């Protein structure tokens, strides 16, 4: 085989190597894009679940706070009622003692 035959064979081999490298690089890029897409989808799904969980927790906290506030108001009203009754009774007793 002469010089040009060897050169042609070398260039053909180099061309195939370049083609193979390009195909491999393309597959790597494609795989990376698929993986990134899946990670973005997973991240979005996780973020959605985190927001949903946070909203549920906030709702429960508000509900618990409202229940506690209701009980506090009820307790305060009962205490005020008892105080008024006690002072009324004391006023009646004081009035009866003076007469």
């Amino acid at each position: 085989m002469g010089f040009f035959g060897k050169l042609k064979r070398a260039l053909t081999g180099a061309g195939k190597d370049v083609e193979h490298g390009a195909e491999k690089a393309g597959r790597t890029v494609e795989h990376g894009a698929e993986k990134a897409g899946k990670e973005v989808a997973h991240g979005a799904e996780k973020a959605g679940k985190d927001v949903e969980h946070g909203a549920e927790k906030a709702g429960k906290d508000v509900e618990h706070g409202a229940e506690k506030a209701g009980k506090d108001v009820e307790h305060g009203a009962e205490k005020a009622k008892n105080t008024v009754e006690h002072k009324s009774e004391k006023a009646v007793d004081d009035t009866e003692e003076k007469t």
Side-chain angles (χ1 to χ4, degrees):
M1 175 179 295
F3 172 76
F4 290 109
K6 290 180 182 179
L7 181 61
K8 182 178 177 184
R9 179 183 277 172
L11 290 175
T12 300
K16 288 181 180 177
D17 289 346
V18 169
E19 182 180 350
H20 176 72
E23 287 175 4
K24 186 175 178 185
R27 286 193 299 270
T28 300
V29 168
E30 185 179 344
H31 176 71
E34 287 176 9
K35 186 176 177 186
K38 287 177 183 174
E39 289 174 359
V40 168
H42 177 72
E45 184 179 329
K46 186 177 183 313
K49 287 180 182 175
D50 289 348
V51 168
E52 184 179 338
H53 177 73
E56 287 176 7
K57 187 174 185 307
K60 288 178 183 173
D61 289 348
V62 168
E63 184 179 331
H64 176 72
E67 287 176 11
K68 187 174 182 322
K71 287 179 183 174
D72 289 348
V73 168
E74 189 177 309
H75 177 73
E78 185 68 30
K79 189 174 178 181
K81 177 185 163 202
N82 290 340
T83 301
V84 168
E85 286 177 358
H86 176 71
K87 290 194 179 214
S88 295
E89 289 172 3
K90 188 172 185 318
V92 168
D93 290 345
D94 289 348
T95 304
E96 288 177 354
E97 286 178 9
K98 288 182 182 179
T99 56

